[in-house]
Amino acid sequence: MSFWPDAYAEHAAGLRSFLRRRLRSRELAEDLTQETFVRAMKAEGSIKDPGRIRPYLYQTAHRLLLNHIRRPARVQIESDFGEAVELESMAPPSPDRTDDPVHEREVREAVQE
């Protein structure tokens, strides 16, 4: 489908903003925005109506956001032998924002559109 450049131009900024408000990280929001489009392009055969790409993109971004929040933090340290070792962080996991009424409303509106 040749609508991807237009879809990116139309929806990337909104998706990035949606993700940034929840993640508080511009870089991570950008990464997840790009991953959202990569996944959508890979699933392009299952998208029946390109005119309804916005809800699909927001739903995909929301799932990526939840996956990121639920993923345990990883910390890389150097062992006594000089090699890098990755461990799970002892920090508590990020709070799940799905109980945030503003977040729920925004996702619901995006999916409905």
Side-chain angles (χ1 to χ4, degrees):
M1 293 182 186
S2 62
F3 67 91
W4 289 115
D6 291 338
Y8 187 84
E10 186 175 343
H11 301 294
L15 282 169
R16 195 175 304 110
S17 177
F18 169 79
L19 292 165
R20 187 172 182 194
R21 283 191 307 269
R22 283 146 189 85
L23 296 167
R24 302 184 198 278
S25 167
R26 182 177 46 210
E27 294 80 18
L28 188 53
E30 180 62 37
D31 288 347
L32 291 183
T33 299
Q34 290 177 12
E35 181 64 22
T36 297
F37 277 93
V38 167
R39 289 188 182 200
M41 287 188 276
K42 286 180 179 178
E44 135 177 57
S46 66
I47 299 172
K48 295 175 181 30
D49 181 6
R52 299 208 19 93
I53 192 68
R54 185 176 190 272
Y56 182 85
L57 292 171
Y58 274 85
Q59 189 174 44
T60 302
H62 178 70
R63 287 183 184 137
L64 287 169
L65 172 68
L66 291 178
N67 288 342
H68 172 77
I69 290 171
R70 292 177 182 149
R71 184 179 323 134
R74 306 295 272 177
V75 176
Q76 194 170 50
I77 61 171
E78 189 172 313
S79 75
D80 292 338
F81 303 105
E83 54 195 22
V85 177
E86 201 170 275
L87 302 172
E88 285 188 18
S89 172
M90 297 305 288
S94 300
D96 188 352
R97 296 192 48 142
T98 58
D99 61 345
D100 179 356
V102 174
H103 171 73
E104 285 184 28
R105 179 180 47 81
E106 288 175 346
V107 171
R108 189 172 33 256
E109 287 171 1
V111 170
Q112 287 174 349
E113 286 183 24

